[in-house]
Amino acid sequence: MIQVFADRDALSQAAAELFARQAQSAVTAQGRFSVLLAGGETPRRTYELLALEPFRSQIPWPEVHLFWGDERCVPADDPSSNALMAHRAFIDSLLLSPEQLHPIRCDRMPDRAAANYEAELRRFFGAQPPRFDLVFLGLGEDGHTASLLPGSEALQEEIRWTAVTRRANEHFSRITVTSPLINQAALVVFLVAGRSKADVLQSILAATDQQQYPAQLIKPLRGTLYWWVDREAAAVFR
Ligand code: 6PG
């Protein structure tokens, strides 16, 4: 389902409202709320809103568990760290216990980091399927999502929940969750904003070839998929 919002702020507000609503219903139903956070810039305003009223007091924070869909293998204080962005946007202003935070630790060998993150996911979900209550995803101009990058072997992964990827022009590796994990979620929401995403968004949503972009791998098996975009990103297909 595609929803077009007037601008990035309206998109961020709606995403924060969705987070709060999903958190309340998940905690009521199962006593906890598991979220897979997107990296990049688009979700920053959404995250900032979560720590502000009215959302701050609407969200049952002690039962929230935060995971990341991907991370760059950089020092924790590196500006390109997805975890650092989320900490600065909202986590550091909340009193969350360390047990609620599940960052991808990539200060060691990337393959070991990916294996460790899969082990953490398996510990959290136990014998149950890894059914995240909410997954936020971004969309790159090349059609990637999380760090499922075009041409990476991770796109063919059908079993493992994590993988190592790397951009040719970056000095660091990336750890990403894979589509087999994302597609088990209850609700997956792409947050896409800005004119620079209009062409790739239109290509993906209008695509006849379903294998052209990594983002097209995202098809929740027993869940719901939303494309929430702002007017600039929707410019070519409205
Ligand atoms: C990453 C992100 C990535 C991001 C898109 C969009 O670590 O790079 O997880 O998938 O969501 O690249 O990024 P922007 O929101 O900055 O456009």
Side-chain angles (χ1 to χ4, degrees):
M1 180 190 107
I2 304 165
Q3 189 159 347
V4 181
F5 295 86
D7 54 28
R8 190 183 286 252
D9 270 355
L11 172 68
S12 305
Q13 180 80 19
E17 286 166 3
L18 179 71
F19 184 108
R21 208 165 46 245
Q22 292 300 108
Q24 290 164 354
S25 59
V27 170
T28 301
Q30 61 199 23
R32 70 183 189 182
F33 176 55
S34 59
V35 192
L36 200 65
L37 296 174
E41 278 309 307
T42 303
R44 184 192 296 272
R45 184 60 188 146
T46 297
Y47 297 165
E48 290 170 348
L49 290 171
L50 296 177
L52 304 174
E53 295 305 342
F55 304 112
R56 185 187 184 98
S57 50
Q58 289 174 1
I59 296 165
W61 287 111
E63 287 77 33
V64 173
H65 284 267
L66 301 174
F67 291 79
W68 274 261
D70 66 329
E71 187 56 279
R72 297 84 179 270
C73 292
V74 294
D77 61 353
D78 186 302
S80 60
S81 161
N82 287 334
L84 181 65
M85 185 276 267
H87 273 269
R88 286 180 172 165
F90 72 115
I91 296 173
D92 286 351
S93 68
L94 299 165
L95 294 175
L96 303 184
S97 69
E99 295 71 32
Q100 296 178 254
L101 303 177
H102 308 270
I104 299 173
R105 301 187 195 292
C106 190
D107 45 5
R108 289 187 290 273
M109 299 292 289
D111 287 332
R112 169 60 52 204
N116 288 346
Y117 204 57
E118 175 145 352
E120 174 135 0
L121 287 161
R122 291 186 182 280
R123 268 194 303 278
F124 181 78
F125 287 106
Q128 300 305 316
R131 185 172 168 82
F132 276 99
D133 298 304
L134 175 62
V135 174
F136 278 144
L137 291 174
L139 179 69
E141 293 176 32
D142 59 0
H144 81 260
T145 191
S147 282
L148 295 169
L149 305 173
S152 66
E153 289 178 11
L155 304 184
Q156 274 71 46
E157 182 57 57
E158 294 182 353
I159 308 291
R160 288 182 302 167
W161 296 350
T162 62
V164 180
T165 61
R166 192 179 185 106
R167 274 191 189 292
N169 64 340
E170 290 177 340
H171 68 278
F172 50 77
S173 296
R174 292 162 170 255
I175 308 298
T176 185
V177 296
T178 58
S179 58
L181 176 69
I182 296 170
N183 287 334
Q184 297 195 56
L187 176 59
V188 180
V189 185
F190 276 97
L191 301 176
V192 187
R195 180 72 188 82
S196 69
K197 307 294 176 74
D199 292 344
V200 69
L201 184 64
Q202 200 269 346
S203 302
I204 288 174
L205 296 180
T208 48
D209 171 5
Q210 286 300 310
Q211 303 298 325
Q212 195 176 355
Y213 300 102
Q216 293 171 300
L217 291 170
I218 308 308
K219 303 182 182 98
L221 300 170
R222 289 175 305 283
T224 304
L225 176 62
Y226 291 157
W227 284 90
W228 281 10
V229 305
D230 75 352
R231 194 171 289 169
E232 284 190 3
V236 294
F237 66 79
R238 260 178 317 129

